[in-house]
């Protein structure tokens, strides 16, 4: 679906002209001054009034999405522009070599669904070759655009291509990832050419170019299907083989995004929508929310960290019964909602559980978008490792993803949405990163905002706790919480900087506007949130 008759995002301006052909020059000037300028749909500034919300891990990607919303694009259009910009500005977590999972709400179509395009292991992921995930992002976001977008596909990739070709400064968010991954990247000769100018790793503010990636974007703008079929797909598979990976051209051809109903939990007039396995953070958060939605508001504030920790430990312990190593679900998953998870819960005492040690894949990126009509998109994208396997594929500018359950843990991703189905209003959307801690953080923000009535910015900034059952340790945020009430309940407490990051948005009832809606980027990271339009 090309949407060939829909507008591109651009700077065009239309002037209204006076009707009288023979008007005097003074009259013409006065007529133009009174008329002013009217921006065409597809031009930044087209939307008057409230234009939407966006929050993400990296500021330049937020700006790209903001401009699409300002030009009149849908949430899906903005999400596509955001992702393909993020893949340039933060390839450590969003490279085209990976994939992801999104929740999409379309108010007019009365749809809230999950789109799963997470990488699965290539067909040769056993043996001596490096287990490789099959890229899903290009087809995934193209399928979202085909179903929910309005603007032309090629225009939404333009900002990403420009930044890759002409250069972009290293943001603080990307600089933090580079500082961690520099030693690994130094071992890859292709990555060194991009990220080690003059033999030294890039630092914040330094401009870098990605010419191979820009050439790939030029191809994708014209024919995104070539990423999975034909000559380019063959060359991509050959690049994986040359890098020691396990994916082939048949794996690329067979990669398909899956649109399906999400996992739901009802609370009052709202329905919470979660991503299904293999997005295991969504599945764990759904089970936790099922167990907690009827008791969170009535639980004393000082008890809630203990209650959340006990629930999290049980939810992670339960995974052994339903989760495969790659995050996919066994049949048992669909027979237990988690409603009885807190049977025997003791508000005064910690109870240990028998759980496998969680090894969830840590690095991921998250973002949320809402447009002026109330449509929304919430996504996680990942390569199952910081910079994937650490190997950049020659001639492509993309990082080869790891394979879930083989050389990385299950996908610790899974966004959430809260929708009132009676009026089809999106009330809340969030996505978290941070590996095993992401599901607990996501659940806490959801419950605080949608059940306990905490303001969004306070809920995202609130001190967090996490317990995954094994080890039997309750982790709390260093310097943000008094451990006394937890140690008194028998918890072994350890304070540290938790890696979870939550990007979220929230709207009150009625048509979205500046007063009812807000968006927040987690203050623990270096992302940004933006409100679109002029009040």
């Amino acid at each position: 679906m090309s949407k060939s008759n829909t507008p591109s995002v651009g700077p065009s301006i239309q002037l209204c002209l006076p009707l009288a052909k023979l008007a005097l020059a003074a009259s013409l000037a006065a007529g133009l001054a009174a008329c002013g300028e009217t921006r065409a749909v597809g031009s930044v500034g087209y939307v008057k009034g409230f234009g939407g919300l966006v929050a993400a891990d990296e500021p330049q990607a937020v700006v790209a999405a903001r401009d699409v919303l300002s030009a009149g694009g849908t949430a899906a259009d903005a999400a596509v522009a955001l992702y393909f910009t993020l893949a340039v500005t933060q390839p450590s977590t969003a490279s085209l070599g990976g994939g992801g999972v999104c929740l999409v709400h379309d108010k007019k179509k009365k749809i809230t669904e999950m789109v799963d395009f997470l990488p699965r292991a290539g067909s040769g992921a056993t043996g001596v070759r490096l287990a490789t995930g099959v890229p899903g992002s290009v087809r995934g976001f193209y399928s979202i655009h085909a179903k929910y977008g309005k603007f032309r596909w090629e225009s939404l990739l333009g900002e990403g291509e420009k930044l890759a070709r002409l250069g972009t400064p290293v943001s603080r968010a990307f600089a933090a990832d580079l500082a961690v991954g520099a030693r690994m990247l130094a071992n890859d000769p292709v990555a060194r050419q991009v990220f080690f100018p003059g033999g030294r790793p890039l630092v914040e503010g330094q401009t870098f170019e990605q010419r191979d990636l820009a050439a790939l974007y030029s191809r994708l703008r014209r024919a995104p299907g070539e990423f999975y079929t034909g000559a380019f797909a063959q060359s991509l598979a050959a690049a994986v083989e040359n890098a020691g990976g396990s994916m082939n051209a048949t794996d690329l051809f067979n990669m398909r995004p899956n649109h399906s109903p999400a996992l739901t939990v009802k609370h009052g007039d709202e329905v919470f929508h979660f991503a299904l396995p293999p997005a295991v953070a969504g599945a764990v958060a759904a089970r936790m929310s099922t167990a907690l939605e009827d008791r969170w508001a009535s639980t004393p504030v000082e008890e809630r960290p203990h209650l959340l920790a006990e629930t999290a430990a049980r939810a992670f312990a339960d995974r052994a019964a339903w989760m495969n190593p790659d995050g996919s679900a066994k049949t048992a998953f669909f027979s237990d909602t988690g409603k009885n998870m807190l049977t025997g819960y003791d508000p005064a005492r910690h109870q240990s559980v028998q759980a496998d040690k969680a090894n969830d894949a840590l690095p991921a990126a998250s973002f949320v978008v809402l447009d002026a009509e109330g449509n929304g998109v919430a996504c996680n994208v990942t390569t199952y490792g910081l910079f994937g396997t650490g190997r950049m594929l020659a001639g492509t500018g993309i990082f080869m993803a790891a394979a879930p359950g083989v050389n990385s843990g299950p996908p610790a991703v899974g966004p959430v949405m809260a929708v009132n189905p009676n009026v089809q209003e999106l009330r809340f959307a969030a996505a978290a990163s941070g590996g095993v801690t992401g599901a607990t953080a996501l659940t806490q923000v959801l419950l605080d905002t949608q059940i306990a009535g905490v303001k969004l910015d306070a809920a995202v900034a609130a001190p967090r706790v996490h317990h995954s059952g094994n080890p039997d340790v309750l982790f709390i945020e260093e310097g943000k919480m008094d451990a006394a009430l937890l140690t008194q309940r028998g918890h072994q407490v350890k304070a540290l900087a938790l890696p979870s990051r939550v990007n979220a948005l929230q709207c009150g009832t009625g048509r979205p506007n500046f007063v009812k809606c807000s968006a927040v980027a987690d203050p623990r990271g270096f992302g940004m949130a933006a409100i679109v339009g002029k009040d």
Side-chain angles (χ1 to χ4, degrees), residues 84-254:
F84 281 97
T85 304
L86 191 65
V88 175
T89 59
Q90 197 163 356
S92 47
T93 54
S95 175
L96 299 189
V101 60
C102 296
L103 294 176
V104 183
H105 174 71
D106 189 288
K107 184 172 183 178
K108 187 175 181 179
K109 294 179 180 179
K110 299 181 179 180
I111 292 174
T112 305
E113 69 172 1
M114 179 184 80
V115 186
D116 169 20
F117 48 98
L118 287 164
R120 270 60 167 184
S123 58
T126 58
V128 296
R129 304 196 70 81
L130 179 62
T132 306
V134 181
S137 289
V138 174
R139 268 190 176 158
F141 282 102
Y142 187 80
S143 72
I144 291 172
H145 174 262
K147 190 169 182 179
Y148 299 106
K150 178 169 69 175
F151 286 173
R152 293 174 62 169
W153 165 262
E154 59 268 27
S155 71
L156 301 174
L157 275 62
E159 182 66 13
E161 181 180 350
K162 182 188 77 173
L163 294 176
R165 190 178 304 281
L166 302 181
T168 182
V170 175
S171 67
R172 186 164 298 178
F174 185 43
D177 287 349
L178 278 170
V180 176
R183 181 174 297 182
M184 176 179 63
L185 295 181
N187 294 323
D188 182 72
V190 182
R192 278 202 308 270
Q193 294 180 8
V194 178
F195 301 107
F196 285 72
R200 300 177 65 86
L202 291 164
V203 296
E204 181 183 351
Q206 193 171 356
T207 299
F208 68 110
E209 300 173 355
Q210 301 172 80
R211 297 294 180 85
D212 287 340
L213 186 59
L216 175 55
Y217 272 50
S218 180
R219 181 186 293 270
L220 294 177
R221 286 195 301 110
R222 299 190 309 269
E226 291 185 4
F227 193 89
Y228 296 93
T229 61
F232 179 79
Q234 294 287 342
S235 67
L236 180 59
V240 171
E241 182 177 3
N242 291 336
S246 61
M247 184 198 74
N248 58 41
T250 301
D251 295 326
L252 281 169
F253 179 81
N254 289 333

Side-chain angles (χ1 to χ4, degrees), residues 20-33:
K21 292 183 180 180
L22 301 178
L24 294 173
S27 300
L28 177 60
L32 285 171

Side-chain angles (χ1 to χ4, degrees), residues 7-16 32 35-49 66-73 150-151 532-534:
S8 300
V9 179
S12 62
I13 297 176
Q14 295 180 339
L15 296 177
C16 80
L32 285 171
C35 164
E37 62 182 36
T38 302
R39 295 183 182 272
V41 61
S43 302
V44 175
Y46 165 76
V47 173
K48 305 301 180 184
R66 179 203 64 187
D67 287 349
V68 171
L69 291 173
S70 176
K150 178 169 69 175
F151 286 173
V532 182
K534 294 183 179 180

Side-chain angles (χ1 to χ4, degrees), residues 472-505:
D472 190 9
V473 176
L474 172 54
F475 297 97
I476 65 173
E477 282 197 278
E478 191 172 20
K480 292 190 175 184
M481 182 178 291
D482 183 1
L485 290 176
L486 296 167
T487 55
Q488 289 171 10
R489 288 178 163 92
H491 288 283
Q492 180 182 343
V493 178
K494 184 174 182 179
L496 73 170
L498 293 179
S500 53
R501 305 286 185 269
V502 178
N503 292 304
L505 60 85

